[in-house]
Amino acid sequence: MVPMHKVRMAQWDRLRQLPAAYTQQLHELYDRDALPMDVRHYLSAWIEKQEWQRAARDHDFAMVLFQVLLENLDIQHSRFVQEESLLLQHNIRRYKQNFQKYLDEPCALANTILWFLGKEKEILQSADLAEQVQFLCVEPEAMETSSQRDLERKIAGLKNEVQCIEHTMLCLEEQQDEFDFKYQTHKMEAVVDEAVKKEQMKVLQLLVNRLNECRKSTLSDLSKCLDRTDDLIDILVKKELVEWQRRQQKACIGAPDNVCLDQLEKWFTCVAVCLFQVREFLGKLEELVGKVSYDNDPVKAQKPVLQRRADTLLKNLLKSSFVVETQPSMPQGKGPLVLRTNVQFSVKTRFLVKFPELNHSMKVDVSMDREAPQIKGYRRFNVLGTKIKALNMAESQSGGMVADFRHLTLKEQKSGGGGKGVSDISLSVTEELHIIYFNTVFELKGLSVELQASSLPVVIISNSSQQQSAWASVLWFNLLSLDTKDVLFFANSAAAPWLQFGEMLSWQFLAATKRGLNEAQLEMIAHRLFGKQQNYDTHKVPWSKFSKENTPDTFWVWFDGILVMVKTYLEDLWREGLIMGFVSKGKEKSLLKKKQRGTFLLRFSESVIGGITFSWVDTTITGEPDVKTVQPFTKVDLCQIPFHEIIRNFQILEAENIPENPLLYLYPNTPKDEAFGKYYSERSGSDSPYIKYIKTKLVFVSKENTLEARSPMSSDMAQGEGLEPMNGLSGEAAEQNGSPHPLQSPLETYQPDPMLSGSAAATEDDLLMYLNNPNLFVDSDLMQDELGLADFSLPGFSNCQPPQSCGSIFQ
């Protein structure tokens, strides 16, 4: 609703107070001589009080208003004479002379003023709507950036220009009808008097001259309109659409970029509508020339050139308007653009020129890369399923013209792979890129254009074990490649600058858990990749180091193992920032040693794939800080007991064999129960649903606290850094038949060392074992069989369900 003070304010005064974006529209509206802005300004009060609608129908009333208008101009001229405003005197005199052309057609003047007043109201309504939206704290997408605001102004200017040409065309047709009527009357009257005949011919000549000037002016306006349209299409296709495509690439690999097409659809449709109107104007000119023509008619010379130009611009716009809105993806895939043979996938195309009359009339056909690269072993595929669908407005929430393919599958051609090829390039299955094409035909108002859209390159696998490597290829391509049709990208893949690479890693966590990586976490990862450096900005990560097929110890295998574990078991804890995660052991030790006893932090293992551990600070007999670490937990543990319950129930034996939970404060100083309490099971102690599991777990610690706690990478603890894998016994111990023994976790690539080991020749007095009830066992009985297994571990027990697949992180 428009505020009351604005309702009472004169229309022209409201227009003058508008923001710059709408003032620009006003300037573009009055950028012509039909109604000069000076006249509108100085006679604003009088103009807004008159009944122009009545004057447009009533010739006599229109003549009265016309005479009053001229009188008001005379009054205004006299005022400027008194003020000695020479320029304004000159302008007002010229405007009055121009208005003389309405002497015989005062209704046309009324129509012109009425049209301008209507356009002013449209500008005011747009401004009022924008103000209301802003008041509701909703930002219009069209106003996100200054460049988009500028584009909005240009499109508004184009629409105004087309509407003005429409008005001009009506005036041109009226002039031609007037000339034709008088010319036909002249021929029928067969005047004999030469003087009268000569006078009539003079009048006819004036009319045809005026008609000729009007045609020239119209053609000039059309040419300028096409110039403006050309500039707009250049911005839409080469800037806005390209930027959207890049945002879509990044969004496919987890970036939080806006890929909504509604605003682009609005712009594309508006420009297309204007071009179709220009084509109609050109058709109307041809029709008028068919009725009345003369020597040196400008329409005959210029119309064909304008027609070809308008058609070319329209075709270029339409060809760029057909896009893939949602890239190919499988329902249970790791992310988009990884497809598996014989498994259904979906993809959605969209036509950005929205003409409701084309609903369900444009058929889209799907096909695979027809001109595959000539590489030995490069596979070829056929698309199966519902391959033809019509663009329609029913399958889009926003009402866009889309074809949503939901039941497509790929099948490898038997003769497609293993060909000779002409290139020595060798690509692995997950480095092979393929493109899916979509074809349709646009037909409307005599114009027919073939359109084609293409997907981003997809990686096609035949086994689920290839998903991790395939997703790494998708990440790498869309991070680095701006050429979305470069299927040979991995033949010579570029290295990734650290800043881009680190941002991409953060996107993975952001997409999976709604929380990305902070600077400290990224610095630890950079340290892992490049070693200790003053600055990592100039460093680059090569493809071979990130992920290369058949290489088990790549960075991506380690990072993805953590990501899947967090998404599957630790999402809530990660999202709340309770897990520090990416922190080196040296950094961890320096952080904890400065804190009070019982302070602990949660860290991802640097050597056990998909492992998480915690370390805490204790004090030695001499009062020195002593950092201890447990062996990493993997999905074998976490699928059976939540990590927060492990933290809640973790206990060790201290002096006098009294069980104690050493985890008191989450770093830096948050009480443990305050940090994790809301996740605890309502039942505790003997009623806990995890008590049976907890009772079977072994914890070995140093009785006198004389041994330094070691993480699975004990060699690195001494140095405070480093990332070497370790060898040794698995710490997965379970009580079976009264004798614990190690179990291998399916996610562990390397076997970790014991958590707390002082030497290989440790005596039974150095170590104690604690189950949930220490009275059930005698230390000496157990310890004789367990020398060298000084670990805290959580293996699965025999009746536990096997761990399930972690699934997609993009669900």
Side-chain angles (χ1 to χ4, degrees):
M1 180 177 293
V2 180
M4 287 304 298
H5 72 277
K6 290 189 175 182
V7 173
R8 291 192 298 267
M9 190 184 298
Q11 181 168 307
W12 186 250
D13 291 336
R14 288 185 59 199
L15 287 165
R16 292 170 61 194
Q17 296 180 11
L18 291 179
Y22 300 97
T23 304
Q24 179 64 28
Q25 292 183 32
L26 189 65
H27 284 298
E28 290 171 352
L29 174 64
Y30 281 98
D31 190 19
R32 51 185 61 82
D33 289 335
L35 180 60
M37 183 178 278
D38 286 348
V39 175
R40 177 67 179 95
H41 175 70
Y42 290 111
L43 304 186
S44 60
W46 177 82
I47 288 175
E48 291 177 26
K49 291 178 181 178
Q50 308 312 311
E51 299 180 53
W52 297 109
Q53 285 187 338
R54 175 187 168 189
R57 301 187 304 269
D58 187 334
H59 181 276
D60 293 338
F61 184 66
M63 181 57 72
V64 171
L65 292 184
F66 173 70
Q67 295 296 341
V68 175
L69 173 65
L70 297 182
E71 291 174 5
N72 281 326
L73 289 176
D74 287 336
I75 294 171
Q76 197 64 42
H77 180 268
S78 301
R79 183 177 303 161
F80 292 145
V81 170
Q82 294 175 0
E83 295 174 358
E84 297 183 355
S85 301
L86 183 62
L87 181 60
L88 291 175
Q89 292 176 44
H90 171 77
N91 288 342
I92 290 294
R93 187 185 302 113
R94 182 166 60 87
Y95 299 149
K96 182 179 178 182
Q97 290 173 354
N98 290 341
F99 280 127
Q100 295 298 328
K101 64 184 178 183
Y102 293 108
L103 182 60
D104 297 330
E105 298 174 339
C107 290
L109 174 62
N111 267 316
T112 298
I113 295 177
L114 191 61
W115 182 84
F116 274 91
L117 292 174
K119 301 309 293 181
E120 289 178 2
K121 288 179 181 178
E122 289 180 15
I123 294 174
L124 286 172
Q125 288 169 359
S126 298
D128 289 339
L129 179 60
E131 185 178 348
Q132 292 171 31
V133 169
Q134 187 176 13
F135 179 75
L136 293 172
C137 300
V138 178
E139 291 220 15
E141 290 185 10
M143 298 299 174
E144 288 181 355
T145 66
S146 59
S147 63
Q148 288 180 334
R149 287 194 292 270
D150 184 56
L151 183 56
E152 283 279 347
R153 287 195 294 269
K154 289 181 177 180
I155 288 179
L158 176 64
K159 290 170 65 177
N160 282 332
E161 191 166 349
V162 169
Q163 289 172 338
C164 288
I165 294 175
E166 183 178 22
H167 181 70
T168 301
M169 291 295 299
L170 292 174
C171 294
L172 177 62
E173 188 173 12
E174 290 176 359
Q175 287 184 13
Q176 180 164 313
D177 288 345
E178 180 187 4
F179 168 78
D180 189 46
F181 174 76
K182 291 185 178 179
Y183 179 70
Q184 296 300 332
T185 302
H186 169 73
K187 287 201 303 183
M188 291 174 61
E189 288 179 348
V191 177
V192 178
D193 190 322
E194 285 299 323
V196 175
K197 186 175 182 180
K198 187 175 181 180
E199 187 62 29
Q200 288 182 346
M201 290 300 295
K202 185 178 178 181
V203 171
L204 289 173
Q205 187 61 51
L206 288 172
L207 288 174
V208 79
N209 289 346
R210 183 173 156 192
L211 179 63
N212 186 62
E213 289 300 317
C214 193
R215 284 186 176 183
K216 284 183 179 180
S217 176
T218 302
L219 290 167
S220 176
D221 289 344
L222 286 169
S223 180
K224 292 177 182 177
C225 182
L226 291 178
D227 288 341
R228 187 190 290 259
T229 306
D230 196 357
D231 291 340
L232 275 172
I233 292 177
D234 208 47
I235 295 172
L236 286 175
V237 174
K238 296 181 180 179
K239 181 179 181 294
E240 294 296 334
L241 186 61
V242 169
E243 288 179 359
W244 173 82
Q245 289 170 336
R246 183 57 187 154
R247 289 198 303 273
Q248 188 188 48
Q249 269 192 283
K250 291 160 62 180
C252 281
I253 57 175
D257 286 19
N258 179 14
V259 292
C260 179
L261 281 169
D262 292 351
Q263 185 61 69
L264 271 178
E265 179 188 76
K266 175 186 172 184
W267 291 335
F268 271 78
T269 302
C270 182
V271 174
V273 167
C274 289
L275 278 172
F276 269 107
Q277 285 182 280
V278 169
R279 293 178 84 245
E280 289 176 6
F281 297 154
L282 292 170
K284 186 65 177 178
L285 282 176
E286 188 171 9
E287 178 187 325
L288 293 176
V289 167
K291 294 179 180 179
V292 174
S293 188
Y294 44 85
D295 292 339
N296 299 320
D297 188 339
V299 175
K300 288 183 177 180
Q302 298 180 38
K303 189 262 179 184
V305 177
L306 293 174
Q307 185 73 60
R308 286 193 298 271
R309 191 178 176 199
D311 288 350
T312 299
L313 289 173
L314 186 53
K315 287 178 181 179
N316 290 341
L317 181 70
L318 293 172
K319 287 180 179 179
S320 301
S321 300
F322 190 37
V323 299
V324 177
E325 179 177 22
T326 305
Q327 293 294 328
S329 63
M330 299 185 298
Q332 299 301 321
K334 202 167 183 65
L337 303 172
V338 175
L339 306 181
R340 184 178 170 184
T341 53
N342 302 316
V343 174
Q344 283 191 350
F345 68 92
S346 61
V347 60
K348 184 190 293 184
T349 59
R350 183 164 176 174
F351 188 46
L352 298 179
V353 175
K354 181 179 174 181
F355 288 156
E357 57 266 41
L358 294 177
N359 193 23
H360 292 286
S361 68
M362 294 174 65
K363 307 294 182 183
V364 181
D365 179 46
V366 188
S367 61
M368 283 298 291
D369 29 23
R370 298 167 182 173
E371 298 180 3
Q374 298 300 306
I375 298 176
K376 186 176 181 180
Y378 190 89
R379 300 166 299 158
R380 288 164 175 78
F381 298 88
N382 293 323
V383 182
L384 305 179
T386 307
K387 297 194 299 180
I388 299 178
K389 291 197 71 174
L391 288 166
N392 65 89
M393 295 186 292
E395 295 181 313
S396 172
Q397 292 182 347
S398 62
M401 294 280 286
V402 303
D404 192 358
F405 297 89
R406 300 182 182 180
H407 307 289
L408 299 175
T409 56
L410 297 176
K411 185 175 182 180
E412 186 175 352
Q413 297 178 9
K414 291 183 179 179
S415 59
K420 289 184 178 181
V422 296
S423 173
D424 293 332
I425 296 173
S426 177
L427 297 175
S428 68
V429 167
T430 55
E431 291 176 331
E432 220 180 74
L433 301 177
H434 299 264
I435 295 177
I436 303 175
Y437 291 93
F438 306 86
N439 296 278
T440 188
V441 178
F442 175 91
E443 292 181 327
L444 185 68
K445 298 180 180 179
L447 186 70
S448 179
V449 186
E450 293 185 358
L451 311 177
Q452 184 180 82
S454 58
S455 72
L456 290 170
V458 298
V459 177
I460 303 173
I461 60 177
S462 56
N463 192 293
S464 59
S465 63
Q466 298 169 316
Q467 277 217 39
Q468 187 180 57
S469 180
W471 181 240
S473 297
V474 169
L475 291 174
W476 202 255
F477 177 88
N478 290 288
L479 177 68
L480 298 176
S481 180
L482 299 179
D483 181 1
T484 57
K485 295 187 178 180
D486 182 12
V487 295
L488 297 181
F489 173 79
F490 286 103
N492 186 25
S493 176
W498 164 247
L499 292 178
Q500 273 184 274
F501 184 79
E503 187 177 35
M504 179 270 287
L505 296 181
S506 183
W507 293 341
Q508 304 315 295
F509 271 85
L510 186 64
T513 68
K514 306 292 189 298
R515 184 186 181 94
L517 304 178
N518 60 34
E519 289 298 323
Q521 291 163 337
L522 288 171
E523 184 177 356
M524 178 272 174
I525 295 172
H527 181 194
R528 177 184 176 92
L529 288 166
F530 310 116
K532 185 65 176 177
Q533 305 287 337
Q534 286 293 108
N535 189 294
Y536 299 101
D537 292 356
T538 59
H539 287 68
K540 293 185 178 182
V541 183
W543 166 240
S544 58
K545 192 168 186 177
F546 176 65
S547 175
K548 191 70 175 176
E549 198 173 39
N550 300 323
T551 306
D553 58 348
T554 62
F555 173 86
W556 176 244
V557 171
W558 171 75
F559 186 86
D560 189 52
I562 294 171
L563 184 63
V564 171
M565 173 187 62
V566 170
K567 173 62 178 175
T568 310
Y569 304 109
L570 306 170
E571 183 174 352
D572 290 340
L573 302 185
W574 172 264
R575 189 182 297 140
E576 283 213 23
L578 303 179
I579 301 173
M580 187 174 291
F582 295 101
V583 55
S584 68
K585 287 178 290 299
K587 180 72 170 177
E588 170 192 66
K589 193 171 182 179
S590 66
L591 291 176
L592 290 176
K593 281 194 170 184
K594 301 173 185 177
K595 294 298 178 179
Q596 60 184 316
R597 179 178 180 273
T599 301
F600 67 100
L601 58 78
L602 313 180
R603 172 178 64 81
F604 299 133
S605 172
E606 297 178 43
S607 54
V608 176
I609 305 301
I612 186 170
T613 183
F614 51 77
S615 301
W616 70 96
V617 63
D618 205 338
T619 53
T620 64
I621 296 175
T622 61
E624 294 296 319
D626 183 16
V627 177
K628 297 181 179 181
T629 303
V630 296
Q631 176 186 319
F633 306 95
T634 66
K635 74 174 183 181
V636 172
D637 312 306
L638 301 177
C639 72
Q640 299 175 82
I641 178 171
F643 195 47
H644 55 265
E645 291 293 338
I646 293 175
I647 295 170
R648 179 188 187 186
N649 293 282
F650 179 73
Q651 291 181 325
I652 61 173
L653 291 180
E654 288 292 349
E656 300 179 359
N657 290 343
I658 299 174
E660 177 184 315
N661 189 325
L663 310 180
L664 304 178
Y665 307 98
L666 179 66
Y667 185 89
N669 54 13
T670 305
K672 177 186 66 178
D673 292 341
E674 182 181 321
F676 299 94
K678 68 178 181 181
Y679 300 110
Y680 292 164
S681 167
E682 292 183 4
R683 292 175 292 170
S684 61
S686 60
D687 293 330
S688 170
Y690 307 106
I691 194 65
K692 181 179 178 181
Y693 185 79
I694 295 169
K695 280 186 176 182
T696 65
K697 308 311 139 216
L698 301 180
V699 181
F700 299 100
V701 298
S702 166
K703 180 178 180 181
E704 300 298 332
N705 290 326
T706 58
L707 306 178
E708 182 175 276
R710 298 204 310 160
S711 76
M713 297 175 63
S714 55
S715 61
D716 301 328
M717 279 295 293
Q719 302 171 5
E721 58 183 57
L723 301 165
E724 295 299 322
M726 66 290 137
N727 297 308
L729 296 172
S730 167
E732 299 298 325
E735 179 194 10
Q736 296 184 7
N737 299 323
S739 177
H741 66 277
L743 297 176
Q744 177 63 46
S745 167
L747 277 187
E748 292 176 11
T749 304
Y750 307 108
Q751 297 187 8
D753 289 341
M755 178 195 78
L756 300 172
S757 57
S759 68
T763 65
E764 69 177 67
D765 216 21
D766 290 326
L767 301 173
L768 291 177
M769 176 186 69
Y770 172 67
L771 280 76
N772 195 60
N773 186 345
N775 297 322
L776 292 176
F777 301 97
V778 178
D779 296 342
S780 59
D781 293 336
L782 288 171
M783 291 309 301
Q784 291 184 9
D785 293 331
E786 286 303 311
L787 295 179
L789 276 178
D791 304 305
F792 170 73
S793 54
L794 289 177
F797 49 94
S798 58
N799 63 351
C800 183
Q801 293 294 322
Q804 301 297 312
S805 170
C806 296
S808 170
I809 66 171
F810 284 93
Q811 292 177 353

